[in-house]
Amino acid sequence: MRELLKVQNLRKSFKISAKQQKIQNTKERIKVAVDDLSFTAYEGEVFGLLGPNGAGKTTTLRMMSALVKPDQGDVLIEGSSVVKNPDEVRSKIGFLTSELKLEEFFTPNYLFSFFSELHGVGKAEAAARKQKLFERFGITKFAEVKVGNLSTGMKQKISLVISIVHDPDIIIFDEPTNGLDVLTAKVVTDFLLELKDQGKTIIVSTHIFSLIEKICDRVGVIIDGKMAVCDTLEHLTNEKSLEDKFFDIYAERAGETYEK
């Protein structure tokens, strides 16, 4: 398989405010969010990043997407460096995060046109792609409704569609089903499987075991900013559920025993 994405020894730290120190009950002034993290992703595979909240998953994806500059290390997207050529990287990927906030007074039609132009998609191609994606996600009848008047699920669908207006080969999803009702979550999950069938390379960050088990070929378990294990899903679980295996790994790292 052709290597499309290579994460090399990423490290990122942040200063902690006095308020955050109090909340986290720590005297440390610096928080290491990601610590010497490395992995690869190949053409046509779905790679899952699994870890608890605060493990460093979102920070990792932001560095991969050239939104946050790493303190150390690099990410190569089809040979383009997030450190040296961030604009090239952004043009090659789609990035969807649950933290994406759509301007509530814009309509889906306007947003799709705006981001299509931003990515240099021609008008004819953008129109055809919009029709296909809007119909696929049931957005068509809401195309001229302001985002602020739409449901949470519909906003997530619009965010997903906007993230792939340029039909990228590498797509990065941060908690794509987080906070969604079961019906909308299934629509999103089914679409991820469709993208996989199209040969797209997909990176999915989540804490939901069932999502990893359903769509991923390989999985990396992140604990406290470090890669605890990275393997194929089949080999990692080895007749155990992913949930049980995760807590085995977590207990080993934390030096604790969890009752199941």
Side-chain angles (χ1 to χ4, degrees):
M1 291 187 293
R2 186 164 67 100
E3 181 182 285
L4 290 190
L5 184 150
K6 188 174 186 65
V7 175
Q8 301 175 317
N9 308 108
L10 282 185
R11 179 182 174 87
K12 185 65 182 179
S13 60
F14 299 97
K15 292 182 179 180
I16 302 178
S17 67
K19 182 178 180 179
Q20 290 172 321
Q21 284 179 300
K22 187 175 182 180
I23 293 173
Q24 298 177 24
N25 192 28
T26 180
K27 294 182 179 180
E28 298 293 332
R29 296 295 303 274
I30 301 294
K31 165 68 174 178
V32 179
V34 179
D35 191 3
D36 196 31
L37 193 71
S38 300
F39 65 91
T40 58
Y42 300 94
E43 185 176 19
E45 85 164 341
V46 181
F47 185 95
L49 283 176
L50 176 65
N53 291 337
K57 303 188 302 298
T58 295
T59 301
T60 298
L61 297 193
R62 287 176 174 173
M63 288 189 283
M64 291 167 58
S65 304
L67 298 178
V68 173
K69 188 174 181 179
D71 297 337
Q72 296 176 22
D74 202 351
V75 181
L76 301 179
I77 305 288
E78 293 186 308
S80 297
S81 163
V82 300
V83 175
K84 298 178 181 179
N85 306 107
D87 289 340
E88 284 185 18
V89 168
R90 296 185 191 109
S91 70
K92 292 180 177 182
I93 66 169
F95 179 47
L96 173 67
T97 172
S98 59
E99 296 181 353
L100 175 63
K101 305 301 181 185
L102 302 173
E103 292 290 350
E104 297 203 337
F105 49 88
F106 289 142
T107 66
N109 265 342
Y110 176 85
L111 289 169
F112 194 94
S113 296
F114 175 82
F115 282 97
S116 293
E117 290 182 18
L118 192 65
H119 283 285
V121 181
K123 289 186 177 180
E125 181 183 353
R129 189 153 176 78
K130 181 175 74 171
Q131 181 179 0
K132 179 181 178 180
L133 290 171
F134 275 28
E135 289 179 357
R136 172 65 180 78
F137 287 99
I139 300 172
T140 304
K141 64 181 179 180
F142 301 103
E144 286 299 332
V145 177
K146 290 183 179 180
V147 168
N149 296 324
L150 297 175
S151 68
T152 299
M154 185 56 65
K155 290 177 182 178
Q156 181 74 342
K157 291 176 185 178
I158 294 165
S159 297
L160 191 157
V161 164
I162 287 172
S163 72
I164 57 172
V165 292
H166 53 311
D167 196 21
D169 290 329
I170 301 171
I171 308 167
I172 300 171
F173 292 117
D174 186 16
E175 302 284 2
T177 61
N178 192 35
L180 300 181
D181 64 80
V182 292
L183 294 178
T184 305
K186 177 171 171 46
V187 170
V188 173
T189 301
D190 288 348
F191 186 65
L192 295 181
L193 290 172
E194 288 179 24
L195 292 174
K196 177 180 178 179
D197 289 341
Q198 293 170 20
K200 305 291 187 183
T201 298
I202 303 170
I203 310 297
V204 176
S205 164
T206 186
H207 61 275
I208 301 174
F209 299 109
S210 60
L211 180 61
I212 294 284
E213 290 174 318
K214 186 171 184 178
I215 70 173
C216 291
D217 301 295
R218 290 190 300 132
V219 59
V221 177
I222 299 182
I223 299 174
D224 294 331
K226 295 178 178 290
M227 185 68 79
V229 64
C230 182
D231 209 335
T232 65
L233 187 62
E234 181 181 8
H235 189 264
L236 178 63
T237 52
N238 192 26
E239 299 183 356
K240 275 191 172 185
S241 71
L242 180 60
E243 182 176 3
D244 285 345
K245 185 62 178 179
F246 172 81
F247 283 111
D248 286 346
I249 296 168
Y250 194 89
E252 182 180 345
R253 283 283 176 143
E256 299 174 358
T257 301
Y258 288 85
E259 294 184 1
K260 299 184 178 64

